[in-house]
Amino acid sequence: MLYRITNIITFLLLAGLLCLHNLWQPVAWWVFVMLLFVYVSLLVWGSMDVRAGFYMPVTCQVPTQQKVVALTFDDGPLPQFTPQVLDILQAHKVPAAFFCIGKNIPGNEGLLKRVYEEGHLVGNHSYSHHFWFDLFGAGRMLEELQQTDTNVQQVTGQRPLFFRPPYGVTNPNLSKAVRKGGYFALGWNIRSLDTVIKEEGPLLERITSKLQPGSIILLHDSAAVTVQVLPALIAYLHSNGYTIERIDKLLNKPAYA
């Protein structure tokens, strides 16, 4: 694990500098500051880049040369856009994965049931998706994941095994919670930015310009532009020889416990 390796290397460098400073030759203070700066920078990068796998294993692309991709949707179920996304997927006979926020399930049980019964994967995206989720302790993180599991299980009868970190941020506490809960962490290699880009053309260009075999595409069933671009995206994928499969099938991993 990169986090552990980084800690070991930093400790050895610090110990070496201290020995040098105390036993042979004084070391300038800025050398210690620089070491600390590099260390903290690596921790921040490892936290923010889900593809780094810095603190925990996170699958962000399918290892294949075949032209297959997976569509994933975060933040539902939501009555405004999730039904429209489902209608489009159903019309094109395309499977996807929906990473649900647990607090969005009460009141939208019928919508979640439709997601499941129409053959899409239901994944865990935490219960609150709280802005400060990444500062929670491991125990509280695990409680959030388990609370979402309970809500999903009450509707579908299944406990999700696939988990996507809120905001794509990872840290040692989340690693511990995921490991203890037995989840499979899934990231992405194409971040559509459909919560930021509001026009269909630029959004489609951003996604298609990054396409490659095994891509995992991050979308949200909480944005109007996603509904607008989805038919064009599916058409582009098909016209360029890509097959859209459910992510658990591509990875040969069980979706539920």
Side-chain angles (χ1 to χ4, degrees), residues 13-14 24 97 125 135 144 167 197 202 219:
L13 287 173
L14 179 59
W24 288 284
H125 197 38
L135 299 182
E144 283 231 356
Y167 311 107
I197 301 173
L219 298 159

Side-chain angles (χ1 to χ4, degrees), residues 12-197:
L12 292 175
L13 287 173
L14 179 59
L17 287 171
L18 288 173
C19 287
L20 178 63
H21 180 80
N22 293 322
L23 299 178
W24 288 284
Q25 180 177 341
V27 178
W29 64 268
W30 60 263
V31 175
F32 293 96
V33 173
M34 183 60 67
L35 177 61
L36 177 62
F37 175 78
V38 172
Y39 176 70
V40 171
S41 297
L42 285 171
L43 297 188
V44 172
W45 165 74
S47 295
M48 301 302 294
D49 189 348
V50 71
R51 295 172 298 178
F54 191 79
Y55 296 101
M56 53 188 275
V58 182
T59 297
C60 295
Q61 187 171 355
V62 179
T64 182
Q65 296 301 315
Q66 297 182 359
K67 297 183 76 172
V68 292
V69 299
L71 298 180
T72 66
F73 297 87
D74 286 7
D75 294 357
L78 296 167
Q80 187 173 6
F81 299 116
T82 306
Q84 299 177 63
V85 170
L86 288 171
D87 289 343
I88 295 168
L89 296 176
Q90 186 178 54
H92 292 273
K93 296 181 174 56
V94 168
F98 287 79
F99 287 88
C100 298
I101 297 175
K103 69 177 183 179
N104 289 342
I105 295 174
N108 293 310
E109 291 88 350
L111 194 50
L112 179 62
K113 186 176 182 181
R114 180 184 171 190
V115 170
Y116 176 72
E117 289 184 345
E118 291 186 0
H120 305 295
L121 180 146
V122 177
N124 190 318
H125 197 38
S126 82
Y127 183 81
S128 66
H129 204 289
H130 196 284
F131 182 79
W132 299 113
F133 178 84
D134 307 301
L135 299 182
F136 293 173
R140 185 173 176 185
M141 287 179 170
L142 182 57
E143 288 177 3
E144 283 231 356
L145 272 58
Q146 292 174 335
Q147 193 171 2
T148 299
D149 286 347
T150 298
N151 285 8
V152 170
Q153 199 163 13
Q154 287 174 346
V155 176
T156 67
Q158 303 277 14
R159 183 176 78 83
L161 288 178
F162 276 67
F163 165 71
R164 174 165 281 164
Y167 311 107
V169 176
T170 60
N171 58 40
N173 286 339
L174 185 61
S175 176
K176 183 177 179 180
V178 168
R179 186 171 61 252
K180 190 171 182 179
Y183 297 96
F184 179 83
L186 189 78
W188 58 80
N189 71 314
I190 299 180
R191 188 171 197 164
S192 68
L193 294 182
D194 55 346
T195 57
V196 178
I197 301 173

Side-chain angles (χ1 to χ4, degrees), residues 232-248:
L233 174 59
I234 294 172
Y236 179 93
L237 291 169
H238 286 163
S239 66
N240 284 272
Y242 280 92
T243 301
I244 304 170
E245 297 285 0
R246 225 172 75 163
I247 186 60
D248 56 323

